[in-house]
Amino acid sequence: MAERFTLAVEPRQILGKHVRHLRKDGLTPANISGGAKPSTAVQISAAELTRLLKRHGAGVLYLQMGSEKSAETALLGRVERDPVTTSILHVDFRRVRLNQPIHTHVPIHLTGEAPAVKVEGGVLLHLLDSIEIESLPTNIPEAVTLDISSLEELNSTLTVASIPLPPKVTLISPGSEPVVSVKPPRIEVEEPEVAAAAEGAEGAAPETGTPAEPAGEEPTTES
């Protein structure tokens, strides 16, 4: 289930393009929104944020800003990363109430080995990366697991309905949505030789020129 931990944040005065100066100082810009409250601009220690995300992943956060009474209960939302360095550029937090169910997406992890891939040489297609669920914030799983060992035949599929859910978690995504499928291996077929081209290459092209005069009597010259 989701783990709760505390992350210290500070009010942020620097906005817009100027936030690049925060990153140079080892701070990550962020926003806290939702919960029928105005959005709040904050900044976080980049090193602390990275360390917590690696250790805890998704989970309920206590965003501590100043005194303990001012703590915000939130979930990590969108994480914007640099496409080259993958460093965190900006994060969004979503306010939640611990006693109020919410909708959220959790990733799907695949386990096991599909016999249709190992024995039949099929190609495994991972069609869905996450599902939408409803639960209390404290019951949100970090991920759900789907065992693909039952994929024994080519063209077989496992849907969202095949994913076991933890207690007190309700599925919102359509159960009929495919998650993984095994397709037959792609067979390369050699192109046959073009018969017409082959025949044309074998036949000799007719010669062109002035046709010969028909054989006949030589003309006589009168003297």
Side-chain angles (χ1 to χ4, degrees), residues 137-149:
T138 52
N139 292 331
I140 299 173
E142 291 190 4
V144 291
T145 303
L146 177 61
D147 188 354
I148 62 174
S149 302

Side-chain angles (χ1 to χ4, degrees), residues 99 102 120 129 169 173 178:
N99 60 351
I102 62 170
E120 303 294 337
D129 294 326
V169 174
S173 295

Side-chain angles (χ1 to χ4, degrees), residues 28 49 53 76-82 86-93:
T28 300
L49 176 63
L53 291 180
L76 180 66
R78 187 175 67 95
V79 178
E80 181 183 355
R81 294 182 180 271
D82 185 284
T86 70
S87 60
I88 300 175
L89 300 178
H90 187 278
V91 293
D92 289 323
F93 296 103

